[in-house]
């Protein structure tokens, strides 16, 4: 009986230790999504460089695909100018050092000085590099 009780305590302790780690990683990915959202509204070279992986493949809803350099240039120049970004219906799945995030994105834009709106379903893929979650890929489709 004592052995069974000890085994139960060990197993429950192991499960408790494993649980918060996964929760912490999910929160870290959600934090990376928020960093990306803020960097897209108020872009700086530093904030964009910190969130985007060097191998970034950024797909727009119109079919345009940008690498990291083009993604950053479009935001920094104002060609892509987000005034607001609201995210909803977000889900996060983590497999090893890769995270998939899906959400709905509603935004007010001012691309090249032309006001507009974006209503998108988005898939983001983050990879954990040197302890940080960085955007590796993004694809959007119009809703």
């Amino acid at each position: 009986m004592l052995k069974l009780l000890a085994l139960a305590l060990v197993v429950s302790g192991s499960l408790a230790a494993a649980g918060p780690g996964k929760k912490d990683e999910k929160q870290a990915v959600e934090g990376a999504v928020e960093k990306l959202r803020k960097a897209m509204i108020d872009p700086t070279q530093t904030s964009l460089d910190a969130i985007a992986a060097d191998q970034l493949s950024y797909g727009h809803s119109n079919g345009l695909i940008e690498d990291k350099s083009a993604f950053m240039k479009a935001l920094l120049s104002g060609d892509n100018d987000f005034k607001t970004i609201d995210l909803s219906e977000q889900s996060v799945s983590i497999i090893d050092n890769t995270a998939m995030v899906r959400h709905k994105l509603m935004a007010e834009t001012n691309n090249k000085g032309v006001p507009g709106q974006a209503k998108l379903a988005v898939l983001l893929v983050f990879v954990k590099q040197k302890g940080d979650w960085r955007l590796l890929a993004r694809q959007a489709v119009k809703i």
Side-chain angles (χ1 to χ4, degrees):
M1 181 68 157
L2 269 165
K3 287 182 182 179
L4 186 56
L5 181 57
L7 179 61
L9 288 172
V10 168
V11 169
S12 66
S14 296
L15 292 175
K22 289 184 180 185
K23 184 177 178 182
D24 290 345
E25 285 301 317
K26 182 180 179 200
Q27 288 175 340
V29 171
E30 290 168 343
V33 172
E34 181 61 11
K35 285 179 188 175
L36 174 63
R37 187 188 74 79
K38 287 179 178 178
M40 291 175 70
I41 293 170
D42 188 17
T44 67
Q45 183 81 23
T46 301
S47 66
L48 293 172
D49 189 52
I51 196 64
D54 290 342
Q55 306 84 357
L56 177 65
S57 176
Y58 189 93
H60 291 268
S61 61
N62 65 2
L64 176 67
I65 305 233
E66 296 172 326
D67 63 9
K68 181 177 180 177
S69 176
F71 161 74
M72 291 176 62
K73 182 179 177 185
L75 287 167
L76 293 168
S77 70
D79 284 353
N80 290 347
D81 187 4
F82 290 92
K83 296 303 178 188
T84 64
I85 298 175
D86 296 310
L87 305 176
S88 64
E89 300 179 43
Q90 183 164 282
S91 65
V92 176
S93 299
I94 301 172
I95 301 100
D96 298 326
N97 70 332
T98 305
M100 294 181 296
V101 178
R102 289 187 180 274
H103 55 230
K104 302 280 174 63
L105 178 149
M106 304 298 169
E108 298 294 325
T109 61
N110 196 33
N111 297 345
K112 296 182 182 177
V114 179
Q117 293 183 337
K119 296 179 184 177
L120 307 171
V122 179
L123 169 65
L124 303 171
V125 179
F126 284 85
V127 64
K128 195 165 192 180
Q129 295 178 328
K130 298 179 184 175
D132 293 322
W133 289 101
R134 299 180 63 134
L135 183 63
L136 179 65
R138 183 249 200 195
Q139 186 59 59
V141 296
K142 292 178 185 172
I143 298 175

